[in-house]
Amino acid sequence: MGKHGKHLVWDWNGTLLDDIDAVIGATNAAFAELGLASITLERYRELYTVPVPKFYERLMGRLPTDAEWIVMDGAFHRHYWERAENCGLTAGAAELLAARQESGFTQSLLSLAPHAELIPLVRRHGIAERFVRMDGRGDASTDGKSGHMVRHLAALAVPAERVVVIGDAADDAVAAGHVGAKAVLYTGGSHSRASLARAGVPVVDSLEEAVAVAEELV
């Protein structure tokens, strides 16, 4: 389990990967195709939620039908992956991951991004070796991260009480609570500070601060 048994589970999109501009660009490109009005970053951060169909419900006033969701999800991801290749890591992320690994602590990556696209992208950023395990979504479900967190920690054989999840979404805190782990939420991604604060866990403005707070939690 690494030094003192402390283990970090990192989120990818909006946390380690600084992709919020790509997300907003892809969202608005998809919205244009779907006949929806464009959205600002501020409004996106106030409305975004997981499962993602609930986000569209907040925008449309109703849940999309299954057929609508297939079109919406496909449009977003088509535009997103065109942009994702040009996204960089969040400031300081590579250095933090390296320093923590060199200090003997363990860390892993758990994302709702499709596994087949996630892993090559992480490798291209040169940080794959920092993680003892990397898991993306393996199916087409719209569920949040809780079930994935159960399977991720089981595969790692890490006790949840020694785990801190670092992510940019309230769902990261929900998933951590689901397994009995701690969480720290970062404001640089998909949610506003106010919406993150409602999750009831520490909220920070940098990944450096996130790691420092995480070290105090376990």
Side-chain angles (χ1 to χ4, degrees), residues 39-212:
I39 190 170
T40 64
L41 172 60
E42 292 72 23
R43 181 160 171 76
Y44 180 93
R45 283 176 163 163
E46 283 300 325
L47 295 180
Y48 184 75
T49 190
V50 175
V52 180
K54 289 283 188 181
F55 170 57
Y56 283 90
E57 181 181 30
R58 293 177 176 183
L59 289 167
M60 300 166 59
R62 63 175 178 82
L63 275 173
T65 65
D66 290 345
E68 286 173 330
W69 169 247
I70 290 171
V71 173
M72 291 171 170
D73 190 51
F76 169 79
H77 281 100
R78 175 162 37 82
H79 289 290
Y80 174 78
W81 290 111
E82 290 174 357
R83 293 164 169 79
E85 294 294 335
N86 295 320
C87 296
L89 296 178
T90 299
E95 294 80 5
L96 283 168
L97 293 170
R100 200 169 190 284
Q101 183 186 42
E102 290 162 7
S103 296
F105 294 101
T106 58
Q107 50 203 340
S108 58
L109 181 67
L110 179 62
S111 174
L112 292 180
H115 189 81
E117 282 84 12
L118 171 71
I119 302 306
L121 186 55
V122 176
R123 288 178 176 149
R124 284 197 290 277
H125 282 285
I127 58 171
E129 69 276 10
R130 306 302 181 197
F131 306 110
V132 296
R133 185 177 180 87
M134 300 184 290
D135 287 319
R137 185 190 292 279
D139 57 35
S141 73
T142 59
D143 296 336
K145 197 175 277 185
S146 294
H148 301 282
M149 187 68 71
V150 172
R151 293 186 289 275
H152 186 71
L153 294 193
L156 290 168
V158 177
E161 63 269 18
R162 305 304 298 167
V163 171
V164 182
V165 178
I166 297 179
D168 70 311
D171 185 59
D172 291 301
V174 171
H178 182 71
V179 297
K182 301 291 195 302
V184 180
L185 298 180
Y186 165 61
T187 60
S190 60
H191 284 37
S192 67
R193 172 175 276 277
S195 61
L196 291 178
R198 292 193 285 270
V201 302
V203 178
V204 300
D205 296 315
S206 72
L207 296 189
E208 184 177 16
E209 187 181 359
V211 171

Side-chain angles (χ1 to χ4, degrees), residues 5-17:
K6 295 181 180 181
H7 181 86
L8 295 184
V9 176
W10 290 92
D11 173 56
W12 177 243
N13 301 100
T15 304
L16 291 175
L17 186 69

